[in-house]
Amino acid sequence: MKNILLAVTGGIAAYKAIDLTSKLTQADYEVRVMLTDHAQEFVTPLAFQAIGRNPVYTNTFIEQNPEEIQHVALGDWADAIVVAPATANTIAKLANGIADDMVTSTILATETPKFIAPAMNVHMYENKRTQHNLATLSADGYYFLEPGEGFLACGYVAKGRMEEPLQILERLNQYFNNDLPNKKNSKFKGVHAIVTAGPTIEELDPVRYLSNRSSGKMGYALAESLSKRGAKVTLISGPTHLDAPKNVELIPIESAQQMFEAVKLRFDSTDIVFKSAAVSDYAPAEMLDHKLKKQAGDLTVTFKRTPDILKYLGENKHKQFLVGFAAETQNIETYAQKKLKSKNVDVIIANNVGDRTIGFSSDDNAYTMYYKNGKAVELGKHKKVILAEHILDNLETRWQ
Ligand code: PMT
């Protein structure tokens, strides 16, 4: 029998935590429950005690057993902790190591695996701060029980509903059957990863260039998540407005040719490459050393092909795992599959860059991962910091 410590925090979805306690108990889990003060505005300790047939914990300073320190002993007792519902406030406290109540003190004091089921208003959920906090927790090893879309208590029909108790039960079953990545022991620990990010710029003359809308957000998010999982990360990046993540080696480049040289130089000693950069396929055939003067009539510029870096890596890999990206506006799956084969990569991550609300520059994207063995995994629409976590979680379970 496995022990589940359920932490209930102060949102209206707390009523679902009663059902969750019941489902877990019926599935033969031993369940103990902690409630924050705010959770008790919505549900009572007695309800959980009656259903779970175990004591309920609400106050760090009421020690029920003098022989132990309750918030430490509880964490040690649990095989998994589930925070459901998790409010934006509790998520922020956990991400910042604040321990000012029974729930946060217990969680800070234990290494036990943690699952988090956010539930809140859609704008709170999508707020940059909340997304950043969730990404921090995910990178710290928390398992994320994604909220669903539907009718919210605030009146919106949008994302923010707590994951259904049955789905949470399934995820826990999966975890105990070893079907989820072991984040505590990430496969990326000690691995050397190259991430390419941002646009390239291809100069025509000292003041003009050809480039694209890539902001680098996706590549930088991947670099940060990889580094937090223990990888040694080299980020080869075109010009962006972003700061390099902590503990990541940044190699700034401008042109596709420079990116090619920087990647080639490090490829032999690399284990995995993420090619999220938007590399220009063409560059002006000639780079003028003076400003091109205006002339009568139209201007014709000849462009030459740049090196296809990913294709080169696919042709020259020996041990490396290659993760390519495909930016498409139509026939997404067909073109992505074509790139998967023609560039000899292990996974291609496709996005629809025709949708201006996601893709280039946006904080959001929606990806599908196509594996060489034919498996396709839909990641759905999320902030890029969350997508980085989902991409790595997915690779953790499939990358040998
Ligand atoms: O940077 P953001 O604003 O966060 O946006 C993210 C993104 C839209 C840039 C990212 O999701 C993405 O799709 N990146 C790949 C863009 C691209 O160049 O796709 P492509 O389908 O043209 O190229 C396919 C693959 O070949 C890519 O991995 C690309 O890096 C690589 N390539 C392309 C051309 C070239 N000369 N050399 C390459 O290595």
Side-chain angles (χ1 to χ4, degrees), residues 196-200 212-220 240 242 256 259-260 274-282 305-313 323-328 335-336 339 343 345 348-353 358-367 384:
T196 70
T200 62
N212 61 64
R213 295 176 192 278
S214 170
S215 62
K217 286 175 188 168
M218 191 61 237
Y220 279 59
T240 73
L242 306 173
M259 181 176 280
F260 185 40
F274 293 82
K275 282 248 44 287
S276 53
V279 187
S280 181
D281 289 320
Y282 294 93
R305 284 295 307 268
T306 56
D308 188 326
I309 307 167
L310 189 56
K311 195 162 192 316
Y312 170 88
L313 301 182
V323 183
F325 281 70
E328 309 293 349
Y335 288 140
K339 284 179 184 164
K343 301 196 186 210
V345 298
I348 201 110
I349 304 181
N351 52 160
N352 178 359
V353 290
I358 57 173
F360 282 96
S361 287
S362 163
D363 284 343
D364 302 309
N365 211 342
Y367 284 120
K384 286 175 180 167

Side-chain angles (χ1 to χ4, degrees), residues 74-104:
L74 256 184
D76 290 346
W77 168 85
D79 294 305
I81 297 183
V82 181
V83 189
T87 59
N89 183 47
T90 298
I91 288 167
K93 288 203 266 181
L94 293 174
N96 289 285
I98 294 170
D100 63 352
D101 59 18
M102 183 66 199
V103 165
T104 48

